Amino acid sequence: MNGWGRRMARIRLACVALFLAIAAGCTEVVTGTGSMDTRPQPPLTSAAALGDIATVDFCSLVDRAVIDKVSGVAEIDVSMDRCQVTVSKNGVPMVLVVGEPMDGETRDSMPTSPHQVADLPAGITVAKFEEEDMCGREIVFADQMRLRVNVALAEPDGRNLEYRTRHMCEVADAALETALKMVRGGTALHFEYGDRSYSTLAACDMIPASAVAIALDAQRVSTKRYPTGHECEWDRDSARALFAFMLRPLSLDVPPDAIEETIAGRRSYVLPDGLTIGSGCEVFTVNLRGPRPGLTEGAAVYVELFEPGQDDRACTIARGLAGAAFAKLPPV
């Protein structure tokens, strides 16, 4: 995982998922002389396989029993755009992420190669990417929407690269197997968000790109609009900013080094990143009940400056951007 990917994980606050059982339906069997339909199936798009991508519960694409065959599952967390599973493989702690839908505009520059999988639906392909501390798969739909199945080391590991990659990829392939099963069957579950839910808002509309450019000392910034609308990223050569909506458990503790403040009339928390390479700061607020008991919705700004020793400046920028965004959130 690249440095920005690891830093984004800080803002993408996860929450504990509640497993839902999928009941098998019964159909009446009628005998007859009909023949099997051999007509070619249309290429499978993300909408046909998953429905509304903005409301998918990505933890419904994860089968704990399948993952447990190759690793021990310690915890499963859910958020609006991803399911995060903490696992341990032969004593090596890893983090599996399923979801993070991307389209042609928002897909990062990670190089991929084809990954051979049997019996894929028409129009579906799978790509793979592997780095020293990561093994990933991407399910590519006919409309070029991608779902990521990514495994990364939870902490540095001194064992050789081949050992780490092999075990990470075993977990990734197990997760890919169950995700493809749900895609083939069209059995993904969906959240039912309330009327004042943050999920109905467009993250890129919460902060004008011109305001981000001014805050980052740039004439202009490039903008990435993620397909669910829950995340927006702005980039310039030496800095980046991210605004995101997420889910997290009501019981999740605030980090002890977070600074509590009131921003735009909302209880908020400022968390300097303390990066050894570059500088960063996160500002988040959690105010709205989520789509299930025990979950709450939150919003967060994350700022990364590529120059080290600038955490205070990163927090000043993040506070300003958070003030603009939090003021537009629905009333509690």
Side-chain angles (χ1 to χ4, degrees):
M1 180 183 296
N2 58 28
W4 177 236
R6 280 191 288 269
R7 289 153 182 70
M8 287 178 69
R10 290 287 304 272
I11 192 175
R12 292 168 170 176
L13 305 174
C15 56
V16 177
L18 302 177
F19 269 131
L20 299 182
I22 302 175
C26 297
T27 57
E28 181 181 358
V29 178
V30 179
T31 59
T33 59
S35 59
M36 181 180 298
D37 186 353
T38 58
R39 290 175 297 180
Q41 296 300 308
L44 190 61
T45 64
S46 58
L50 299 171
D52 183 358
I53 198 76
T55 62
V56 172
D57 172 3
F58 289 101
C59 282
S60 70
L61 305 183
V62 175
D63 187 333
R64 177 172 186 149
V66 173
I67 308 301
D68 264 332
K69 290 180 180 178
V70 297
S71 64
V73 175
E75 186 176 61
I76 299 181
D77 301 330
V78 63
S79 198
M80 288 186 183
D81 283 7
R82 65 196 49 79
C83 182
Q84 181 170 301
V85 186
T86 305
V87 304
S88 180
K89 175 74 171 174
N90 288 2
V92 179
M94 305 175 189
V95 177
L96 162 69
V97 175
V98 177
E100 297 188 346
M102 301 167 290
D103 55 17
E105 177 187 354
T106 54
R107 185 183 178 275
D108 55 36
S109 58
M110 185 75 68
T112 62
S113 58
H115 185 58
Q116 299 303 316
V117 178
D119 300 324
L120 288 175
I124 295 283
T125 59
V126 176
K128 64 180 178 181
F129 51 96
E130 298 172 9
E131 285 195 343
E132 181 176 346
D133 58 354
M134 177 181 64
C135 182
R137 311 291 185 239
E138 287 181 357
I139 301 173
V140 187
F141 293 91
D143 55 357
Q144 296 305 300
M145 187 76 76
R146 295 170 179 253
L147 287 188
R148 179 164 288 176
V149 178
N150 184 76
V151 179
L153 295 179
E155 57 190 48
D157 185 83
R159 278 167 274 203
N160 65 70
L161 173 60
E162 181 182 357
Y163 176 90
R164 294 197 305 264
T165 303
R166 184 175 75 250
H167 289 294
M168 284 190 294
C169 289
E170 286 176 359
V171 177
D173 285 331
L176 174 68
E177 173 189 336
T178 182
L180 285 172
K181 178 181 178 181
M182 299 302 181
V183 165
R184 289 185 184 100
T187 51
L189 301 181
H190 288 255
F191 291 120
E192 294 185 9
Y193 292 105
D195 293 338
R196 292 184 293 117
S197 171
Y198 298 168
S199 70
T200 63
L201 304 175
C204 285
D205 294 343
M206 304 300 287
I207 309 173
S210 58
V212 178
I214 292 171
L216 296 182
D217 263 346
Q219 289 188 339
R220 63 180 299 275
V221 290
S222 61
T223 303
K224 284 186 177 181
R225 295 177 175 268
Y226 286 85
T228 63
H230 300 153
E231 296 182 3
C232 190
E233 184 181 333
W234 299 271
D235 292 84
R236 57 160 293 190
D237 291 342
S238 59
R240 289 170 178 167
L242 174 78
F243 180 75
F245 299 114
M246 78 289 292
L247 299 175
R248 52 174 272 167
L250 284 168
S251 59
L252 186 65
D253 292 333
V254 174
D257 51 346
I259 305 164
E260 183 174 337
E261 299 181 5
T262 299
I263 297 178
R266 295 174 181 268
R267 179 189 292 178
S268 306
Y269 299 90
V270 179
L271 187 62
D273 204 310
L275 300 174
T276 56
I277 301 175
S279 308
C281 189
E282 176 185 342
V283 178
F284 64 93
T285 185
V286 179
N287 298 71
L288 189 67
R289 293 298 177 105
R292 291 182 190 157
L295 293 182
T296 185
E297 294 184 15
V301 171
Y302 186 83
V303 170
E304 181 186 18
L305 307 177
F306 299 167
E307 182 182 353
Q310 298 290 314
D311 282 353
D312 288 346
R313 178 168 172 257
C315 285
T316 298
I317 296 171
R319 285 184 177 97
L321 297 178
F326 294 175
K328 297 180 181 180
L329 295 175
V332 178

